[in-house]
mmCIF file of all heavy atoms in Angstrom:
data_model
loop_
_atom_site.group_PDB
_atom_site.id
_atom_site.type_symbol
_atom_site.label_atom_id
_atom_site.label_comp_id
_atom_site.label_asym_id
_atom_site.label_seq_id
_atom_site.Cartn_x
_atom_site.Cartn_y
_atom_site.Cartn_z
ATOM 1 N N ARG A 30 -124.104 12.879 -60.884
ATOM 2 C CA ARG A 30 -122.815 13.425 -61.337
ATOM 3 C C ARG A 30 -122.320 12.664 -62.580
ATOM 4 O O ARG A 30 -122.608 11.485 -62.703
ATOM 5 C CB ARG A 30 -121.720 13.441 -60.235
ATOM 6 C CG ARG A 30 -122.182 14.207 -59.044
ATOM 7 C CD ARG A 30 -122.189 15.684 -59.336
ATOM 8 N NE ARG A 30 -122.636 16.408 -58.050
ATOM 9 C CZ ARG A 30 -122.657 17.619 -57.959
ATOM 10 N NH1 ARG A 30 -122.307 18.391 -58.965
ATOM 11 N NH2 ARG A 30 -123.082 18.192 -56.832
ATOM 12 N N GLN A 31 -121.580 13.396 -63.345
ATOM 13 C CA GLN A 31 -120.953 12.702 -64.577
ATOM 14 C C GLN A 31 -119.431 12.746 -64.366
ATOM 15 O O GLN A 31 -118.885 13.599 -63.781
ATOM 16 C CB GLN A 31 -121.278 13.571 -65.812
ATOM 17 C CG GLN A 31 -122.737 13.605 -66.153
ATOM 18 C CD GLN A 31 -123.317 12.203 -66.434
ATOM 19 O OE1 GLN A 31 -122.763 11.458 -67.169
ATOM 20 N NE2 GLN A 31 -124.432 11.952 -65.889
ATOM 21 N N LEU A 32 -118.810 11.767 -64.967
ATOM 22 C CA LEU A 32 -117.400 11.658 -64.954
ATOM 23 C C LEU A 32 -116.847 11.759 -66.371
ATOM 24 O O LEU A 32 -117.490 11.353 -67.397
ATOM 25 C CB LEU A 32 -116.857 10.273 -64.519
ATOM 26 C CG LEU A 32 -117.041 9.966 -63.005
ATOM 27 C CD1 LEU A 32 -116.451 8.549 -62.740
ATOM 28 C CD2 LEU A 32 -116.347 10.947 -62.115
ATOM 29 N N GLU A 33 -115.686 12.445 -66.525
ATOM 30 C CA GLU A 33 -114.970 12.447 -67.756
ATOM 31 C C GLU A 33 -113.522 12.033 -67.515
ATOM 32 O O GLU A 33 -112.990 12.496 -66.559
ATOM 33 C CB GLU A 33 -114.988 13.843 -68.372
ATOM 34 C CG GLU A 33 -114.280 13.873 -69.718
ATOM 35 C CD GLU A 33 -114.276 15.281 -70.366
ATOM 36 O OE1 GLU A 33 -115.032 16.143 -69.962
ATOM 37 O OE2 GLU A 33 -113.405 15.503 -71.182
ATOM 38 N N LEU A 34 -113.018 11.199 -68.330
ATOM 39 C CA LEU A 34 -111.621 10.708 -68.205
ATOM 40 C C LEU A 34 -110.754 11.336 -69.289
ATOM 41 O O LEU A 34 -111.162 11.232 -70.482
ATOM 42 C CB LEU A 34 -111.553 9.149 -68.318
ATOM 43 C CG LEU A 34 -110.228 8.501 -68.249
ATOM 44 C CD1 LEU A 34 -109.507 8.728 -66.957
ATOM 45 C CD2 LEU A 34 -110.350 7.001 -68.496
ATOM 46 N N ARG A 35 -109.640 11.932 -68.832
ATOM 47 C CA ARG A 35 -108.649 12.509 -69.831
ATOM 48 C C ARG A 35 -107.346 11.853 -69.607
ATOM 49 O O ARG A 35 -106.571 12.183 -68.653
ATOM 50 C CB ARG A 35 -108.526 13.997 -69.663
ATOM 51 C CG ARG A 35 -109.732 14.780 -70.069
ATOM 52 C CD ARG A 35 -109.557 15.014 -71.616
ATOM 53 N NE ARG A 35 -110.770 15.597 -72.059
ATOM 54 C CZ ARG A 35 -110.837 16.692 -72.725
ATOM 55 N NH1 ARG A 35 -109.712 17.329 -73.033
ATOM 56 N NH2 ARG A 35 -111.939 17.078 -73.223
ATOM 57 N N PRO A 36 -106.861 10.938 -70.478
ATOM 58 C CA PRO A 36 -105.523 10.389 -70.361
ATOM 59 C C PRO A 36 -104.549 11.435 -70.860
ATOM 60 O O PRO A 36 -104.865 12.087 -71.863
ATOM 61 C CB PRO A 36 -105.498 9.128 -71.195
ATOM 62 C CG PRO A 36 -106.741 9.204 -72.080
ATOM 63 C CD PRO A 36 -107.714 10.189 -71.417
ATOM 64 N N CYS A 37 -103.433 11.602 -70.250
ATOM 65 C CA CYS A 37 -102.409 12.622 -70.616
ATOM 66 C C CYS A 37 -101.118 11.915 -70.863
ATOM 67 O O CYS A 37 -100.553 11.328 -69.947
ATOM 68 C CB CYS A 37 -102.360 13.726 -69.584
ATOM 69 S SG CYS A 37 -103.850 14.616 -69.246
ATOM 70 N N ALA A 38 -100.570 12.060 -72.011
ATOM 71 C CA ALA A 38 -99.371 11.427 -72.436
ATOM 72 C C ALA A 38 -98.123 12.068 -71.866
ATOM 73 O O ALA A 38 -97.045 11.463 -71.665
ATOM 74 C CB ALA A 38 -99.254 11.325 -73.916
ATOM 75 N N ASP A 39 -98.140 13.345 -71.633
ATOM 76 C CA ASP A 39 -97.030 14.069 -71.119
ATOM 77 C C ASP A 39 -97.477 15.265 -70.222
ATOM 78 O O ASP A 39 -98.655 15.513 -70.111
ATOM 79 C CB ASP A 39 -96.123 14.611 -72.263
ATOM 80 C CG ASP A 39 -96.834 15.503 -73.230
ATOM 81 O OD1 ASP A 39 -97.771 16.202 -72.891
ATOM 82 O OD2 ASP A 39 -96.495 15.471 -74.396
ATOM 83 N N LEU A 40 -96.478 15.953 -69.615
ATOM 84 C CA LEU A 40 -96.786 17.024 -68.677
ATOM 85 C C LEU A 40 -97.505 18.147 -69.360
ATOM 86 O O LEU A 40 -98.452 18.749 -68.778
ATOM 87 C CB LEU A 40 -95.544 17.468 -67.989
ATOM 88 C CG LEU A 40 -95.716 18.506 -66.902
ATOM 89 C CD1 LEU A 40 -96.537 17.982 -65.771
ATOM 90 C CD2 LEU A 40 -94.272 18.888 -66.340
ATOM 91 N N ARG A 41 -97.098 18.504 -70.535
ATOM 92 C CA ARG A 41 -97.706 19.527 -71.292
ATOM 93 C C ARG A 41 -99.244 19.336 -71.468
ATOM 94 O O ARG A 41 -100.087 20.177 -71.313
ATOM 95 C CB ARG A 41 -97.091 19.828 -72.629
ATOM 96 C CG ARG A 41 -97.446 20.980 -73.362
ATOM 97 C CD ARG A 41 -96.741 21.068 -74.650
ATOM 98 N NE ARG A 41 -97.049 22.367 -75.258
ATOM 99 C CZ ARG A 41 -96.435 22.801 -76.282
ATOM 100 N NH1 ARG A 41 -95.495 22.132 -76.872
ATOM 101 N NH2 ARG A 41 -96.809 23.955 -76.830
ATOM 102 N N GLU A 42 -99.571 18.087 -71.842
ATOM 103 C CA GLU A 42 -100.974 17.684 -72.019
ATOM 104 C C GLU A 42 -101.759 17.733 -70.683
ATOM 105 O O GLU A 42 -102.906 18.170 -70.645
ATOM 106 C CB GLU A 42 -101.014 16.319 -72.644
ATOM 107 C CG GLU A 42 -102.423 15.902 -73.125
ATOM 108 C CD GLU A 42 -102.418 14.529 -73.873
ATOM 109 O OE1 GLU A 42 -101.354 14.104 -74.281
ATOM 110 O OE2 GLU A 42 -103.495 14.049 -73.958
ATOM 111 N N LEU A 43 -101.107 17.311 -69.611
ATOM 112 C CA LEU A 43 -101.736 17.362 -68.333
ATOM 113 C C LEU A 43 -102.026 18.814 -67.929
ATOM 114 O O LEU A 43 -103.223 19.071 -67.420
ATOM 115 C CB LEU A 43 -100.843 16.698 -67.268
ATOM 116 C CG LEU A 43 -101.394 16.659 -65.805
ATOM 117 C CD1 LEU A 43 -102.450 15.557 -65.783
ATOM 118 C CD2 LEU A 43 -100.273 16.271 -64.850
ATOM 119 N N ILE A 44 -101.142 19.691 -68.084
ATOM 120 C CA ILE A 44 -101.315 21.084 -67.783
ATOM 121 C C ILE A 44 -102.427 21.707 -68.609
ATOM 122 O O ILE A 44 -103.244 22.456 -68.203
ATOM 123 C CB ILE A 44 -100.008 21.872 -67.878
ATOM 124 C CG1 ILE A 44 -99.026 21.427 -66.770
ATOM 125 C CG2 ILE A 44 -100.217 23.424 -67.867
ATOM 126 C CD1 ILE A 44 -97.628 21.924 -67.028
ATOM 127 N N GLY A 45 -102.385 21.362 -69.946
ATOM 128 C CA GLY A 45 -103.435 21.856 -70.877
ATOM 129 C C GLY A 45 -104.818 21.402 -70.439
ATOM 130 O O GLY A 45 -105.751 22.100 -70.532
ATOM 131 N N SER A 46 -104.904 20.165 -69.971
ATOM 132 C CA SER A 46 -106.246 19.590 -69.501
ATOM 133 C C SER A 46 -106.659 20.265 -68.243
ATOM 134 O O SER A 46 -107.869 20.534 -68.061
ATOM 135 C CB SER A 46 -106.129 18.116 -69.310
ATOM 136 O OG SER A 46 -105.872 17.418 -70.601
ATOM 137 N N LEU A 47 -105.770 20.618 -67.313
ATOM 138 C CA LEU A 47 -106.151 21.400 -66.167
ATOM 139 C C LEU A 47 -106.711 22.751 -66.597
ATOM 140 O O LEU A 47 -107.682 23.170 -66.053
ATOM 141 C CB LEU A 47 -104.939 21.600 -65.234
ATOM 142 C CG LEU A 47 -104.571 20.415 -64.367
ATOM 143 C CD1 LEU A 47 -103.221 20.603 -63.679
ATOM 144 C CD2 LEU A 47 -105.678 20.220 -63.308
ATOM 145 N N ARG A 48 -106.027 23.436 -67.547
ATOM 146 C CA ARG A 48 -106.484 24.745 -67.950
ATOM 147 C C ARG A 48 -107.861 24.655 -68.664
ATOM 148 O O ARG A 48 -108.704 25.481 -68.493
ATOM 149 C CB ARG A 48 -105.450 25.408 -68.836
ATOM 150 C CG ARG A 48 -104.319 25.795 -67.961
ATOM 151 C CD ARG A 48 -103.271 26.632 -68.789
ATOM 152 N NE ARG A 48 -102.273 27.101 -67.868
ATOM 153 C CZ ARG A 48 -100.938 26.951 -68.077
ATOM 154 N NH1 ARG A 48 -100.553 26.444 -69.192
ATOM 155 N NH2 ARG A 48 -100.089 27.420 -67.126
ATOM 156 N N ALA A 49 -108.070 23.573 -69.343
ATOM 157 C CA ALA A 49 -109.319 23.375 -70.070
ATOM 158 C C ALA A 49 -110.415 23.093 -69.050
ATOM 159 O O ALA A 49 -111.565 23.526 -69.256
ATOM 160 C CB ALA A 49 -109.277 22.184 -71.084
ATOM 161 N N ALA A 50 -110.101 22.376 -67.953
ATOM 162 C CA ALA A 50 -111.151 22.188 -66.875
ATOM 163 C C ALA A 50 -111.582 23.458 -66.329
ATOM 164 O O ALA A 50 -112.730 23.620 -66.056
ATOM 165 C CB ALA A 50 -110.467 21.292 -65.823
ATOM 166 N N ARG A 51 -110.681 24.456 -66.242
ATOM 167 C CA ARG A 51 -111.060 25.767 -65.755
ATOM 168 C C ARG A 51 -112.008 26.420 -66.717
ATOM 169 O O ARG A 51 -113.021 26.978 -66.291
ATOM 170 C CB ARG A 51 -109.788 26.636 -65.509
ATOM 171 C CG ARG A 51 -110.083 28.019 -65.014
ATOM 172 C CD ARG A 51 -108.877 28.849 -64.982
ATOM 173 N NE ARG A 51 -108.409 29.167 -66.330
ATOM 174 C CZ ARG A 51 -107.140 29.180 -66.693
ATOM 175 N NH1 ARG A 51 -106.192 28.915 -65.820
ATOM 176 N NH2 ARG A 51 -106.850 29.488 -67.914
ATOM 177 N N ARG A 52 -111.766 26.347 -67.938
ATOM 178 C CA ARG A 52 -112.554 27.081 -68.893
ATOM 179 C C ARG A 52 -113.960 26.415 -69.017
ATOM 180 O O ARG A 52 -114.947 27.089 -69.297
ATOM 181 C CB ARG A 52 -111.956 27.090 -70.351
ATOM 182 C CG ARG A 52 -110.732 27.983 -70.361
ATOM 183 C CD ARG A 52 -110.247 28.012 -71.900
ATOM 184 N NE ARG A 52 -109.880 26.782 -72.469
ATOM 185 C CZ ARG A 52 -108.667 26.197 -72.341
ATOM 186 N NH1 ARG A 52 -107.731 26.812 -71.673
ATOM 187 N NH2 ARG A 52 -108.442 25.041 -72.967
ATOM 188 N N ARG A 53 -114.059 25.172 -68.777
ATOM 189 C CA ARG A 53 -115.285 24.396 -68.984
ATOM 190 C C ARG A 53 -116.068 24.356 -67.657
ATOM 191 O O ARG A 53 -117.187 23.699 -67.570
ATOM 192 C CB ARG A 53 -115.039 23.008 -69.455
ATOM 193 C CG ARG A 53 -114.515 23.083 -70.849
ATOM 194 C CD ARG A 53 -114.092 21.803 -71.496
ATOM 195 N NE ARG A 53 -114.751 20.587 -70.996
ATOM 196 C CZ ARG A 53 -114.162 19.410 -71.005
ATOM 197 N NH1 ARG A 53 -112.985 19.231 -71.402
ATOM 198 N NH2 ARG A 53 -114.833 18.445 -70.528
ATOM 199 N N GLY A 54 -115.639 24.862 -66.626
ATOM 200 C CA GLY A 54 -116.360 24.954 -65.376
ATOM 201 C C GLY A 54 -116.470 23.589 -64.612
ATOM 202 O O GLY A 54 -117.476 23.263 -64.034
ATOM 203 N N CYS A 55 -115.425 22.804 -64.694
ATOM 204 C CA CYS A 55 -115.444 21.508 -64.031
ATOM 205 C C CYS A 55 -115.568 21.652 -62.554
ATOM 206 O O CYS A 55 -115.079 22.589 -61.938
ATOM 207 C CB CYS A 55 -114.085 20.832 -64.246
ATOM 208 S SG CYS A 55 -113.891 19.234 -63.548
ATOM 209 N N GLU A 56 -116.391 20.832 -61.896
ATOM 210 C CA GLU A 56 -116.744 20.995 -60.490
ATOM 211 C C GLU A 56 -115.724 20.374 -59.543
ATOM 212 O O GLU A 56 -115.585 20.771 -58.365
ATOM 213 C CB GLU A 56 -118.066 20.372 -60.147
ATOM 214 C CG GLU A 56 -119.208 21.094 -60.772
ATOM 215 C CD GLU A 56 -120.552 20.511 -60.414
ATOM 216 O OE1 GLU A 56 -120.905 19.500 -61.119
ATOM 217 O OE2 GLU A 56 -121.158 20.950 -59.372
ATOM 218 N N PHE A 57 -115.046 19.394 -60.064
ATOM 219 C CA PHE A 57 -113.981 18.649 -59.191
ATOM 220 C C PHE A 57 -112.999 17.925 -60.133
ATOM 221 O O PHE A 57 -113.423 17.513 -61.172
ATOM 222 C CB PHE A 57 -114.714 17.636 -58.368
ATOM 223 C CG PHE A 57 -114.041 17.409 -56.999
ATOM 224 C CD1 PHE A 57 -114.571 18.023 -55.862
ATOM 225 C CD2 PHE A 57 -112.941 16.646 -56.902
ATOM 226 C CE1 PHE A 57 -113.987 17.905 -54.618
ATOM 227 C CE2 PHE A 57 -112.406 16.362 -55.595
ATOM 228 C CZ PHE A 57 -112.870 17.022 -54.520
ATOM 229 N N VAL A 58 -111.812 17.759 -59.674
ATOM 230 C CA VAL A 58 -110.786 16.997 -60.436
ATOM 231 C C VAL A 58 -110.130 15.968 -59.583
ATOM 232 O O VAL A 58 -109.852 16.225 -58.411
ATOM 233 C CB VAL A 58 -109.685 18.011 -60.948
ATOM 234 C CG1 VAL A 58 -108.461 17.270 -61.654
ATOM 235 C CG2 VAL A 58 -110.243 19.041 -61.924
ATOM 236 N N LEU A 59 -110.002 14.819 -60.189
ATOM 237 C CA LEU A 59 -109.156 13.734 -59.606
ATOM 238 C C LEU A 59 -107.924 13.736 -60.432
ATOM 239 O O LEU A 59 -107.948 13.454 -61.633
ATOM 240 C CB LEU A 59 -109.840 12.378 -59.641
ATOM 241 C CG LEU A 59 -111.132 12.236 -58.937
ATOM 242 C CD1 LEU A 59 -111.664 10.827 -58.968
ATOM 243 C CD2 LEU A 59 -111.082 12.751 -57.496
#
């Protein structure tokens, strides 16, 4: 398995990263 780390400075960025995970087919999120 591979890991990717996304630091998010604010809530908007966190939500955007969750949506991007959906588009990219991420298998799991921490």
Side-chain angles (χ1 to χ4, degrees):
R30 301 293 178 173
Q31 298 297 314
L32 289 182
E33 181 181 340
L34 176 62
R35 289 276 170 127
C37 301
D39 57 32
L40 185 59
R41 186 178 190 175
E42 191 174 344
L43 183 73
I44 291 167
S46 294
L47 280 168
R48 290 188 173 130
R51 179 185 69 220
R52 289 188 303 272
R53 292 175 28 206
C55 180
E56 293 181 276
F57 213 99
V58 174
L59 302 184

